[in-house]
Amino acid sequence: MSLRLPCTCSVNMADMDPETTAHTEPTVGEEEPLFSNLDLFLFSLIVGLLIYWFMSRKKKANFYVVLQQGKNIIVFYGSQTGTAEEFANRLSKDAQRYGMKGMAADPEEYDMGELSRLSEIQNSLAIFCMATYGEGDPTDNAQDFYDWLQENDDEDLSGLNYTVFSLGNKTYEHYNAMGKYVDKRLEELGAKRIFDLGLGDDDGNLEEDFISWREQFWPAICEHFGVEALGDDSSIRQYELQEHTDINMNKVYTGEIGRLKSFEVQKPPFDSKNPFLAPVTVNRRLNKAGDRHLMHLELDITGSKIRYESGDHVAVFPTNDSMLVNKLGQILGVDLDVVISLNNLDDESNKKHPFPCPTSYRTALTHYLDITHPPRTNVLYELAQYASDPKDQENMRKMASSSPEGKALYQNWVLDASRNILAILEDMPSLKPPIDHLCELLPRLQARYYSIASSSKVHPNSIHICAVVVEYKTKTGRINKGVATNWLKNKLISDNGHKSTVPMYIRKSQFRLPFKSTNPVIMVGPGTGIAPFVGFIQERGWLKEQGKEVGETVMYFGCRHKNEDFIYQEELEEAEKNGVLTQLNVAFSRDQEQKVYVQHHLKKNKEHLWKLIHTDNAHIYICGDAKNMAKDVQLTFCEIAEELGGMTRTQATDYIKKLMTKGRYSQDVWS
């Protein structure tokens, strides 16, 4: 391990008081001391920094405890939105059905340098459920593990049995990059792959991919280790209910993500476990007309010590609609204000509760549990036992199977109809699960990420969000609303004299303006994809004001109608008038009979674009929809390179890929 000390202090002798420096000189006849005052000062500083470094380091658990407990199936997860963690929990729970001891583990909390020690456990297996984030990146909690894999070429993992299930999305350039890397790298370091790499595609049906892989995985593991299934397919509870009838309410969680009372006494640094409550100072509608609601919010971060750069993401923790929560309470016939704890039945587990406890059912369903997404098949399987109608039981178990009929039923009845848990309970009256088991099974409500629509150079104490409110009618005639966008929409500037606040933190991004301000930038961002570019334009304008030379700044924006949803029109036109934007191209897709998109404008300006890219070292940025827009735009740039660069299609594709590798073609996209 190499220790790098931050250089936080330098001493300039010229800046010291002359009398002080004079006293450090030895007088005639005096013996020069072994250490001068300055030496002692610097020594004390280094010791202090060392102590601070060791104290502030996050202490990681070693595998000694795992060895002691004899857990032989360890499922590590790299999870950004909670799905990989959910799959890891399911696999560790499965282990019990095969007479094995399983546990799910966050690699961020363990010293992964001791991974080889797992070979000391008989019939041990490390499973890695690894999601890919952004442009082929590891998730936040798997970053240290990824770095360790990259840096330790001499590590010997022979004796370690492993398998990997990877979570990704085919619409992204680096499909399942993290899972593929972990699978390949572990083999390179000598570990033994016990079962083939599984690839889950969130653009298709991730749940189906996981079930198909899992149903082949367990028989292969049984054969490899010579074990048999116990034949017990009944529900296995992981947590037991404890009701608190007489508890000090100061010890009850009311929505905090990590530390109890952290929302009352805010202490930096702020992160995913300790979000900052940012007051909302602006909440305005961006579009002039139309059915949709596009909004601009500004969050005040004064005094928080939070720093951000243009291109970063702001993560916000939303809360569920109280109407949905109340309806769940009514349909299950429970008092939502009962204070409970769900305690892990495995005393040795490092995960004591599925969410912060003690808390009330109301708080859990409002702040901690995802009640709006269609539930996954494992939830249906475990809840089936509580349906009094045998036909309902049969259908729920069928939907959780990998049979073609079951998959089709789940796709049609749950996914295509966008049925959340409330809709399922309403449409299946015989299903009456105990609320504590439901709370155990539902996944955690996750933070939502938004590209920041401001520059810290211009707005150091405020973070801007641009988003479209999600609301749609399902096949069953219900109105489904996006959790975070509807919650943000209702964040009034002041609510009964109190400022509305948003729990948030910053996620750093690689989506960055070029280091040299003289490099031209080409920005393509239709709809709310304009968000990071609002920050980029502000920053380029600030640089110009500082007297810096700034390269061409070209914007391609798209919306439906000029008079409806041309968002940030005034700001964009002002930037063009001031010369900050050297070119503003706007595609209004539905203002004429023939639809016009950003890629049509790119083709129209191909000569200018090719000069900027090929001759002037321009950086290209794409933000918005990954499935269609980002693909079409990339294809257009390939066509421009092919035509004006005199390349074949393969050469043009490679040319654009090389721009990506060099960091000159960046994407901030979502599906």
Side-chain angles (χ1 to χ4, degrees):
M1 181 184 70
S2 62
L3 174 62
R4 286 176 293 181
L5 285 174
C7 184
T8 56
C9 178
S10 62
V11 178
N12 184 347
M13 293 299 289
D15 290 340
M16 293 177 71
D17 182 78
E19 290 186 17
T20 311
T21 52
H23 288 159
T24 64
E25 294 290 326
T27 56
V28 179
E30 273 185 359
E31 189 179 335
E32 188 171 340
L34 188 61
F35 295 109
S36 70
N37 289 345
L38 178 59
D39 290 333
L40 290 168
F41 168 72
L42 288 172
F43 179 73
S44 303
L45 178 67
I46 290 167
V47 170
L49 284 169
L50 276 167
I51 292 167
Y52 173 79
W53 186 79
F54 280 111
M55 294 295 284
S56 62
R57 265 193 328 165
K58 188 170 182 180
K59 194 174 179 194
K60 299 202 176 199
N62 60 36
F63 286 110
Y64 177 71
V65 177
V66 178
L67 293 167
Q68 271 193 322
Q69 294 169 0
K71 304 271 173 138
N72 56 348
I73 304 281
I74 321 287
V75 195
F76 296 101
Y77 57 86
S79 189
Q80 197 71 29
T81 63
T83 309
E85 182 180 358
E86 199 184 319
F87 286 177
N89 283 326
R90 284 160 71 173
L91 288 168
S92 68
K93 211 171 179 182
D94 282 345
Q96 294 180 57
R97 296 194 170 103
Y98 298 92
M100 299 181 180
K101 289 183 81 176
M103 65 176 280
D106 183 343
E108 193 174 36
E109 294 175 0
Y110 284 85
D111 181 357
M112 298 303 279
E114 296 187 336
L115 197 56
S116 60
R117 290 199 68 189
L118 293 182
S119 61
E120 297 171 32
I121 304 170
Q122 191 180 5
N123 285 0
S124 67
L125 172 67
I127 306 172
F128 295 85
C129 283
M130 290 285 146
T132 299
Y133 186 76
E135 292 304 298
D137 302 320
T139 58
D140 290 350
N141 76 312
Q143 183 68 54
D144 289 349
F145 175 49
Y146 176 76
D147 293 342
W148 177 81
L149 285 173
Q150 282 196 311
E151 292 162 9
N152 290 278
D153 286 331
D154 55 349
E155 191 69 37
D156 180 14
L157 294 183
S158 55
L160 175 73
N161 297 315
Y162 81 93
T163 190
V164 179
F165 183 80
S166 185
L167 297 83
N169 188 309
K170 266 199 176 131
T171 59
Y172 289 80
E173 180 74 24
H174 304 281
Y175 173 57
N176 269 317
M178 180 59 180
K180 289 174 181 174
Y181 175 75
V182 170
D183 180 61
K184 173 173 147 287
R185 188 66 177 135
L186 289 172
E187 185 181 42
E188 287 171 357
L189 296 175
K192 184 179 179 182
R193 185 188 297 106
I194 298 297
F195 189 69
D196 293 340
L197 166 70
L199 297 176
D201 179 17
D202 202 26
D203 185 48
N205 189 327
L206 188 59
E207 175 75 6
E208 193 176 298
D209 294 337
F210 176 68
I211 289 172
S212 299
W213 179 85
R214 175 174 162 248
E215 291 207 343
Q216 294 171 62
F217 164 73
W218 282 115
I221 295 308
C222 287
E223 188 180 341
H224 181 85
F225 290 125
V227 296
E228 286 183 24
L230 300 178
D232 182 13
D233 271 351
S234 63
S235 169
I236 298 171
R237 289 295 299 265
Q238 195 175 347
Y239 299 93
E240 64 178 349
L241 172 67
Q242 178 187 2
E243 289 191 4
H244 301 281
T245 49
D246 184 21
I247 189 169
N248 182 345
M249 292 309 284
N250 283 325
K251 294 182 177 174
V252 176
Y253 283 87
T254 57
E256 304 94 327
I257 307 301
R259 179 174 52 85
L260 185 67
K261 303 294 176 192
S262 61
F263 286 165
E264 289 177 25
V265 182
Q266 292 257 278
K267 292 177 186 171
F270 297 104
D271 54 25
S272 59
K273 305 276 174 28
N274 180 37
F276 175 65
L277 285 181
V280 177
T281 54
V282 173
N283 186 349
R284 62 184 170 91
R285 183 170 176 157
L286 282 168
N287 51 321
K288 303 175 189 79
D291 299 333
R292 298 184 306 158
H293 183 102
L294 290 98
M295 58 186 172
H296 172 91
L297 278 94
E298 297 184 12
L299 308 178
D300 186 1
I301 55 169
T302 305
S304 66
K305 297 185 179 172
I306 289 172
R307 300 285 176 266
Y308 73 95
E309 298 291 330
S310 302
D312 283 344
H313 298 124
V314 57
V316 303
F317 288 94
T319 60
N320 288 312
D321 187 338
S322 58
M323 248 174 49
L324 291 180
V325 173
N326 288 334
K327 275 188 185 175
L328 271 172
Q330 285 164 14
I331 207 164
L332 294 171
V334 294
D335 177 0
L336 293 176
D337 296 311
V338 171
V339 176
I340 57 117
S341 286
L342 287 179
N343 302 318
N344 203 320
L345 288 162
D346 179 0
D347 294 334
E348 297 164 337
S349 173
N350 57 349
K351 190 175 182 181
K352 300 301 178 195
H353 316 283
F355 43 77
C357 290
T359 191
S360 68
Y361 286 125
R362 184 182 304 283
T363 299
L365 293 168
T366 303
H367 294 278
Y368 301 138
L369 298 170
D370 186 343
I371 62 173
T372 59
H373 270 106
R376 296 197 186 276
T377 54
N378 66 304
V379 177
L380 300 181
Y381 181 85
E382 299 239 7
L383 293 182
Q385 62 185 304
Y386 302 115
S388 54
D389 183 336
K391 191 159 180 18
D392 286 346
Q393 269 199 34
E394 185 194 340
N395 280 334
M396 289 179 79
R397 291 209 168 101
K398 190 187 288 179
M399 284 190 278
S401 75
S402 61
S403 71
E405 192 188 352
K407 286 178 182 176
L409 184 60
Y410 177 70
Q411 181 69 42
N412 179 52
W413 198 76
V414 179
L415 298 182
D416 294 345
S418 302
R419 276 188 173 89
N420 58 30
I421 190 63
L422 177 61
I424 286 169
L425 291 169
E426 286 175 338
D427 294 346
M428 211 175 260
S430 90
L431 180 61
K432 295 288 180 192
I435 190 170
D436 61 293
H437 198 180
L438 186 65
C439 288
E440 175 180 325
L441 292 170
L442 289 174
R444 283 290 295 268
L445 182 60
Q446 299 293 327
R448 295 337 196 233
Y449 298 90
Y450 297 95
S451 302
I452 296 175
S454 54
S455 163
S456 58
K457 301 284 192 296
V458 181
H459 300 283
N461 291 317
S462 128
I463 285 171
H464 301 182
I465 295 174
C466 164
V468 59
V469 176
V470 177
E471 189 172 317
Y472 60 95
K473 197 172 197 174
T474 72
K475 284 183 177 177
T476 64
R478 293 178 172 93
I479 300 296
N480 275 12
K481 295 181 176 185
V483 177
T485 53
N486 281 275
W487 170 74
L488 285 170
K489 178 189 171 186
N490 294 319
K491 284 283 172 187
L492 306 172
I493 308 308
S494 66
D495 194 2
N496 297 327
H498 297 286
K499 281 188 175 176
S500 286
T501 56
V502 169
M504 52 71 67
Y505 69 96
I506 298 298
R507 189 184 193 276
K508 294 292 174 190
S509 165
Q510 300 302 313
F511 203 69
R512 288 276 184 270
L513 277 168
F515 181 71
K516 287 184 181 174
S517 63
T518 50
N519 285 119
V521 299
I522 300 160
M523 303 172 288
V524 184
T528 55
I530 195 176
F533 303 134
V534 175
F536 281 13
I537 292 163
Q538 287 175 5
E539 190 142 327
R540 301 278 273 192
W542 180 85
L543 288 166
K544 277 179 88 84
E545 284 175 11
Q546 304 304 305
K548 297 269 172 67
E549 189 187 339
V550 177
E552 283 197 50
T553 306
V554 180
M555 178 79 219
Y556 285 84
F557 173 68
C559 61
R560 295 177 183 180
H561 302 282
K562 182 174 184 177
N563 296 325
E564 279 188 15
D565 51 358
F566 186 179
I567 58 176
Y568 297 108
Q569 181 179 356
E570 293 78 13
E571 290 93 324
L572 292 172
E573 289 174 350
E574 182 69 19
E576 188 181 32
K577 193 174 120 188
N578 294 338
V580 174
L581 265 183
T582 46
Q583 197 182 100
L584 173 61
N585 306 278
V586 188
F588 303 109
S589 62
R590 301 182 190 182
D591 272 352
Q592 59 287 308
E593 200 176 319
Q594 198 78 23
K595 285 189 176 172
V596 177
Y597 297 116
V598 283
Q599 58 267 29
H600 297 127
H601 280 277
L602 291 169
K603 283 176 187 170
K604 203 165 67 177
N605 298 325
K606 59 189 176 186
E607 286 85 4
H608 178 234
L609 286 168
W610 182 244
K611 178 187 174 293
L612 290 177
I613 297 164
H614 196 61
T615 310
D616 301 341
N617 209 33
H619 287 232
I620 302 164
Y621 300 91
I622 319 294
C623 183
D625 162 52
K627 197 167 188 176
N628 299 307
M629 182 278 295
K631 279 187 173 175
D632 292 341
V633 166
Q634 190 174 326
L635 179 62
T636 303
F637 278 116
C638 285
E639 288 170 353
I640 291 170
E642 187 181 356
E643 183 186 342
L644 298 175
M647 304 177 192
T648 64
R649 174 53 59 92
T650 307
Q651 287 171 331
T653 304
D654 288 344
Y655 181 86
I656 297 301
K657 292 234 169 112
K658 274 179 189 159
L659 291 182
M660 290 176 176
T661 309
K662 290 175 183 172
R664 283 184 52 208
Y665 191 112
S666 304
Q667 298 185 95
D668 181 1
V669 292
W670 56 83
S671 58

mmCIF file with all atom_site columns, all heavy atoms in Angstrom, residues 342-355:
data_model
loop_
_atom_site.group_PDB
_atom_site.id
_atom_site.type_symbol
_atom_site.label_atom_id
_atom_site.label_alt_id
_atom_site.label_comp_id
_atom_site.label_asym_id
_atom_site.label_entity_id
_atom_site.label_seq_id
_atom_site.pdbx_PDB_ins_code
_atom_site.Cartn_x
_atom_site.Cartn_y
_atom_site.Cartn_z
_atom_site.occupancy
_atom_site.B_iso_or_equiv
_atom_site.pdbx_formal_charge
_atom_site.auth_seq_id
_atom_site.auth_comp_id
_atom_site.auth_asym_id
_atom_site.auth_atom_id
_atom_site.pdbx_PDB_model_num
ATOM 1   N N   . LEU A 1 342 ? -37.508 -4.480  11.742 1.00 0.00 ? 342 LEU A N   1
ATOM 2   C CA  . LEU A 1 342 ? -37.338 -5.772  11.091 1.00 0.00 ? 342 LEU A CA  1
ATOM 3   C C   . LEU A 1 342 ? -35.894 -6.186  11.358 1.00 0.00 ? 342 LEU A C   1
ATOM 4   O O   . LEU A 1 342 ? -34.960 -5.543  10.878 1.00 0.00 ? 342 LEU A O   1
ATOM 5   C CB  . LEU A 1 342 ? -37.612 -5.681  9.591  1.00 0.00 ? 342 LEU A CB  1
ATOM 6   C CG  . LEU A 1 342 ? -39.088 -5.515  9.179  1.00 0.00 ? 342 LEU A CG  1
ATOM 7   C CD1 . LEU A 1 342 ? -39.218 -5.409  7.677  1.00 0.00 ? 342 LEU A CD1 1
ATOM 8   C CD2 . LEU A 1 342 ? -39.932 -6.684  9.682  1.00 0.00 ? 342 LEU A CD2 1
ATOM 9   N N   . ASN A 1 343 ? -35.718 -7.218  12.183 1.00 0.00 ? 343 ASN A N   1
ATOM 10  C CA  . ASN A 1 343 ? -34.386 -7.629  12.635 1.00 0.00 ? 343 ASN A CA  1
ATOM 11  C C   . ASN A 1 343 ? -33.929 -8.891  11.899 1.00 0.00 ? 343 ASN A C   1
ATOM 12  O O   . ASN A 1 343 ? -34.694 -9.850  11.787 1.00 0.00 ? 343 ASN A O   1
ATOM 13  C CB  . ASN A 1 343 ? -34.396 -7.899  14.141 1.00 0.00 ? 343 ASN A CB  1
ATOM 14  C CG  . ASN A 1 343 ? -34.853 -6.686  14.922 1.00 0.00 ? 343 ASN A CG  1
ATOM 15  O OD1 . ASN A 1 343 ? -34.460 -5.562  14.618 1.00 0.00 ? 343 ASN A OD1 1
ATOM 16  N ND2 . ASN A 1 343 ? -35.696 -6.903  15.916 1.00 0.00 ? 343 ASN A ND2 1
ATOM 17  N N   . ASN A 1 344 ? -32.690 -8.871  11.417 1.00 0.00 ? 344 ASN A N   1
ATOM 18  C CA  . ASN A 1 344 ? -32.151 -10.000 10.666 1.00 0.00 ? 344 ASN A CA  1
ATOM 19  C C   . ASN A 1 344 ? -32.108 -11.255 11.539 1.00 0.00 ? 344 ASN A C   1
ATOM 20  O O   . ASN A 1 344 ? -31.627 -11.217 12.670 1.00 0.00 ? 344 ASN A O   1
ATOM 21  C CB  . ASN A 1 344 ? -30.745 -9.664  10.156 1.00 0.00 ? 344 ASN A CB  1
ATOM 22  C CG  . ASN A 1 344 ? -30.366 -10.505 8.949  1.00 0.00 ? 344 ASN A CG  1
ATOM 23  O OD1 . ASN A 1 344 ? -30.647 -11.691 8.873  1.00 0.00 ? 344 ASN A OD1 1
ATOM 24  N ND2 . ASN A 1 344 ? -29.725 -9.865  7.984  1.00 0.00 ? 344 ASN A ND2 1
ATOM 25  N N   . LEU A 1 345 ? -32.640 -12.352 10.997 1.00 0.00 ? 345 LEU A N   1
ATOM 26  C CA  . LEU A 1 345 ? -32.650 -13.618 11.740 1.00 0.00 ? 345 LEU A CA  1
ATOM 27  C C   . LEU A 1 345 ? -31.244 -14.200 11.867 1.00 0.00 ? 345 LEU A C   1
ATOM 28  O O   . LEU A 1 345 ? -30.978 -15.019 12.748 1.00 0.00 ? 345 LEU A O   1
ATOM 29  C CB  . LEU A 1 345 ? -33.562 -14.625 11.030 1.00 0.00 ? 345 LEU A CB  1
ATOM 30  C CG  . LEU A 1 345 ? -35.063 -14.320 11.136 1.00 0.00 ? 345 LEU A CG  1
ATOM 31  C CD1 . LEU A 1 345 ? -35.850 -15.072 10.083 1.00 0.00 ? 345 LEU A CD1 1
ATOM 32  C CD2 . LEU A 1 345 ? -35.582 -14.654 12.528 1.00 0.00 ? 345 LEU A CD2 1
ATOM 33  N N   . ASP A 1 346 ? -30.351 -13.761 10.956 1.00 0.00 ? 346 ASP A N   1
ATOM 34  C CA  . ASP A 1 346 ? -28.952 -14.184 11.033 1.00 0.00 ? 346 ASP A CA  1
ATOM 35  C C   . ASP A 1 346 ? -28.202 -13.165 11.891 1.00 0.00 ? 346 ASP A C   1
ATOM 36  O O   . ASP A 1 346 ? -27.875 -12.072 11.438 1.00 0.00 ? 346 ASP A O   1
ATOM 37  C CB  . ASP A 1 346 ? -28.364 -14.250 9.613  1.00 0.00 ? 346 ASP A CB  1
ATOM 38  C CG  . ASP A 1 346 ? -26.896 -14.654 9.608  1.00 0.00 ? 346 ASP A CG  1
ATOM 39  O OD1 . ASP A 1 346 ? -26.331 -14.883 10.700 1.00 0.00 ? 346 ASP A OD1 1
ATOM 40  O OD2 . ASP A 1 346 ? -26.307 -14.734 8.514  1.00 0.00 ? 346 ASP A OD2 1
ATOM 41  N N   . ASP A 1 347 ? -27.945 -13.537 13.150 1.00 0.00 ? 347 ASP A N   1
ATOM 42  C CA  . ASP A 1 347 ? -27.297 -12.609 14.093 1.00 0.00 ? 347 ASP A CA  1
ATOM 43  C C   . ASP A 1 347 ? -25.922 -12.161 13.620 1.00 0.00 ? 347 ASP A C   1
ATOM 44  O O   . ASP A 1 347 ? -25.440 -11.097 13.991 1.00 0.00 ? 347 ASP A O   1
ATOM 45  C CB  . ASP A 1 347 ? -27.146 -13.263 15.481 1.00 0.00 ? 347 ASP A CB  1
ATOM 46  C CG  . ASP A 1 347 ? -28.498 -13.517 16.122 1.00 0.00 ? 347 ASP A CG  1
ATOM 47  O OD1 . ASP A 1 347 ? -29.445 -12.783 15.777 1.00 0.00 ? 347 ASP A OD1 1
ATOM 48  O OD2 . ASP A 1 347 ? -28.609 -14.451 16.941 1.00 0.00 ? 347 ASP A OD2 1
ATOM 49  N N   . GLU A 1 348 ? -25.270 -13.011 12.806 1.00 0.00 ? 348 GLU A N   1
ATOM 50  C CA  . GLU A 1 348 ? -23.903 -12.704 12.377 1.00 0.00 ? 348 GLU A CA  1
ATOM 51  C C   . GLU A 1 348 ? -23.855 -11.776 11.165 1.00 0.00 ? 348 GLU A C   1
ATOM 52  O O   . GLU A 1 348 ? -22.793 -11.297 10.791 1.00 0.00 ? 348 GLU A O   1
ATOM 53  C CB  . GLU A 1 348 ? -23.168 -14.016 12.046 1.00 0.00 ? 348 GLU A CB  1
ATOM 54  C CG  . GLU A 1 348 ? -23.018 -14.938 13.248 1.00 0.00 ? 348 GLU A CG  1
ATOM 55  C CD  . GLU A 1 348 ? -22.655 -16.350 12.844 1.00 0.00 ? 348 GLU A CD  1
ATOM 56  O OE1 . GLU A 1 348 ? -22.937 -16.733 11.689 1.00 0.00 ? 348 GLU A OE1 1
ATOM 57  O OE2 . GLU A 1 348 ? -22.088 -17.075 13.674 1.00 0.00 ? 348 GLU A OE2 1
ATOM 58  N N   . SER A 1 349 ? -25.012 -11.537 10.560 1.00 0.00 ? 349 SER A N   1
ATOM 59  C CA  . SER A 1 349 ? -25.032 -10.699 9.347  1.00 0.00 ? 349 SER A CA  1
ATOM 60  C C   . SER A 1 349 ? -24.673 -9.255  9.678  1.00 0.00 ? 349 SER A C   1
ATOM 61  O O   . SER A 1 349 ? -25.045 -8.735  10.730 1.00 0.00 ? 349 SER A O   1
ATOM 62  C CB  . SER A 1 349 ? -26.425 -10.734 8.709  1.00 0.00 ? 349 SER A CB  1
ATOM 63  O OG  . SER A 1 349 ? -26.494 -9.818  7.638  1.00 0.00 ? 349 SER A OG  1
ATOM 64  N N   . ASN A 1 350 ? -23.945 -8.623  8.741  1.00 0.00 ? 350 ASN A N   1
ATOM 65  C CA  . ASN A 1 350 ? -23.600 -7.218  8.971  1.00 0.00 ? 350 ASN A CA  1
ATOM 66  C C   . ASN A 1 350 ? -24.742 -6.289  8.565  1.00 0.00 ? 350 ASN A C   1
ATOM 67  O O   . ASN A 1 350 ? -24.691 -5.102  8.814  1.00 0.00 ? 350 ASN A O   1
ATOM 68  C CB  . ASN A 1 350 ? -22.304 -6.834  8.226  1.00 0.00 ? 350 ASN A CB  1
ATOM 69  C CG  . ASN A 1 350 ? -22.404 -7.092  6.734  1.00 0.00 ? 350 ASN A CG  1
ATOM 70  O OD1 . ASN A 1 350 ? -23.342 -7.741  6.279  1.00 0.00 ? 350 ASN A OD1 1
ATOM 71  N ND2 . ASN A 1 350 ? -21.449 -6.578  5.974  1.00 0.00 ? 350 ASN A ND2 1
ATOM 72  N N   . LYS A 1 351 ? -25.778 -6.849  7.932  1.00 0.00 ? 351 LYS A N   1
ATOM 73  C CA  . LYS A 1 351 ? -26.952 -6.056  7.579  1.00 0.00 ? 351 LYS A CA  1
ATOM 74  C C   . LYS A 1 351 ? -28.066 -6.385  8.578  1.00 0.00 ? 351 LYS A C   1
ATOM 75  O O   . LYS A 1 351 ? -28.751 -7.395  8.455  1.00 0.00 ? 351 LYS A O   1
ATOM 76  C CB  . LYS A 1 351 ? -27.401 -6.366  6.148  1.00 0.00 ? 351 LYS A CB  1
ATOM 77  C CG  . LYS A 1 351 ? -28.467 -5.412  5.643  1.00 0.00 ? 351 LYS A CG  1
ATOM 78  C CD  . LYS A 1 351 ? -28.806 -5.650  4.184  1.00 0.00 ? 351 LYS A CD  1
ATOM 79  C CE  . LYS A 1 351 ? -29.830 -4.629  3.727  1.00 0.00 ? 351 LYS A CE  1
ATOM 80  N NZ  . LYS A 1 351 ? -30.218 -4.812  2.321  1.00 0.00 ? 351 LYS A NZ  1
ATOM 81  N N   . LYS A 1 352 ? -28.209 -5.538  9.574  1.00 0.00 ? 352 LYS A N   1
ATOM 82  C CA  . LYS A 1 352 ? -29.124 -5.839  10.685 1.00 0.00 ? 352 LYS A CA  1
ATOM 83  C C   . LYS A 1 352 ? -30.593 -5.633  10.309 1.00 0.00 ? 352 LYS A C   1
ATOM 84  O O   . LYS A 1 352 ? -31.478 -6.300  10.833 1.00 0.00 ? 352 LYS A O   1
ATOM 85  C CB  . LYS A 1 352 ? -28.793 -4.951  11.899 1.00 0.00 ? 352 LYS A CB  1
ATOM 86  C CG  . LYS A 1 352 ? -27.367 -5.135  12.434 1.00 0.00 ? 352 LYS A CG  1
ATOM 87  C CD  . LYS A 1 352 ? -27.109 -6.560  12.868 1.00 0.00 ? 352 LYS A CD  1
ATOM 88  C CE  . LYS A 1 352 ? -25.685 -6.769  13.366 1.00 0.00 ? 352 LYS A CE  1
ATOM 89  N NZ  . LYS A 1 352 ? -25.330 -8.192  13.460 1.00 0.00 ? 352 LYS A NZ  1
ATOM 90  N N   . HIS A 1 353 ? -30.868 -4.657  9.414  1.00 0.00 ? 353 HIS A N   1
ATOM 91  C CA  . HIS A 1 353 ? -32.244 -4.317  9.034  1.00 0.00 ? 353 HIS A CA  1
ATOM 92  C C   . HIS A 1 353 ? -32.288 -4.050  7.527  1.00 0.00 ? 353 HIS A C   1
ATOM 93  O O   . HIS A 1 353 ? -31.290 -3.638  6.945  1.00 0.00 ? 353 HIS A O   1
ATOM 94  C CB  . HIS A 1 353 ? -32.733 -3.062  9.771  1.00 0.00 ? 353 HIS A CB  1
ATOM 95  C CG  . HIS A 1 353 ? -32.398 -3.040  11.229 1.00 0.00 ? 353 HIS A CG  1
ATOM 96  N ND1 . HIS A 1 353 ? -33.080 -3.779  12.166 1.00 0.00 ? 353 HIS A ND1 1
ATOM 97  C CD2 . HIS A 1 353 ? -31.435 -2.363  11.909 1.00 0.00 ? 353 HIS A CD2 1
ATOM 98  C CE1 . HIS A 1 353 ? -32.559 -3.559  13.360 1.00 0.00 ? 353 HIS A CE1 1
ATOM 99  N NE2 . HIS A 1 353 ? -31.552 -2.706  13.227 1.00 0.00 ? 353 HIS A NE2 1
ATOM 100 N N   . PRO A 1 354 ? -33.455 -4.229  6.875  1.00 0.00 ? 354 PRO A N   1
ATOM 101 C CA  . PRO A 1 354 ? -33.535 -3.933  5.433  1.00 0.00 ? 354 PRO A CA  1
ATOM 102 C C   . PRO A 1 354 ? -33.558 -2.434  5.136  1.00 0.00 ? 354 PRO A C   1
ATOM 103 O O   . PRO A 1 354 ? -33.293 -2.007  4.020  1.00 0.00 ? 354 PRO A O   1
ATOM 104 C CB  . PRO A 1 354 ? -34.847 -4.599  5.015  1.00 0.00 ? 354 PRO A CB  1
ATOM 105 C CG  . PRO A 1 354 ? -35.672 -4.645  6.253  1.00 0.00 ? 354 PRO A CG  1
ATOM 106 C CD  . PRO A 1 354 ? -34.717 -4.781  7.400  1.00 0.00 ? 354 PRO A CD  1
ATOM 107 N N   . PHE A 1 355 ? -33.909 -1.621  6.148  1.00 0.00 ? 355 PHE A N   1
ATOM 108 C CA  . PHE A 1 355 ? -33.926 -0.153  6.049  1.00 0.00 ? 355 PHE A CA  1
ATOM 109 C C   . PHE A 1 355 ? -33.756 0.372   7.473  1.00 0.00 ? 355 PHE A C   1
ATOM 110 O O   . PHE A 1 355 ? -33.829 -0.407  8.438  1.00 0.00 ? 355 PHE A O   1
ATOM 111 C CB  . PHE A 1 355 ? -35.236 0.351   5.415  1.00 0.00 ? 355 PHE A CB  1
ATOM 112 C CG  . PHE A 1 355 ? -36.482 -0.323  5.919  1.00 0.00 ? 355 PHE A CG  1
ATOM 113 C CD1 . PHE A 1 355 ? -37.026 0.014   7.161  1.00 0.00 ? 355 PHE A CD1 1
ATOM 114 C CD2 . PHE A 1 355 ? -37.109 -1.317  5.178  1.00 0.00 ? 355 PHE A CD2 1
ATOM 115 C CE1 . PHE A 1 355 ? -38.157 -0.605  7.644  1.00 0.00 ? 355 PHE A CE1 1
ATOM 116 C CE2 . PHE A 1 355 ? -38.249 -1.957  5.652  1.00 0.00 ? 355 PHE A CE2 1
ATOM 117 C CZ  . PHE A 1 355 ? -38.776 -1.602  6.882  1.00 0.00 ? 355 PHE A CZ  1
#
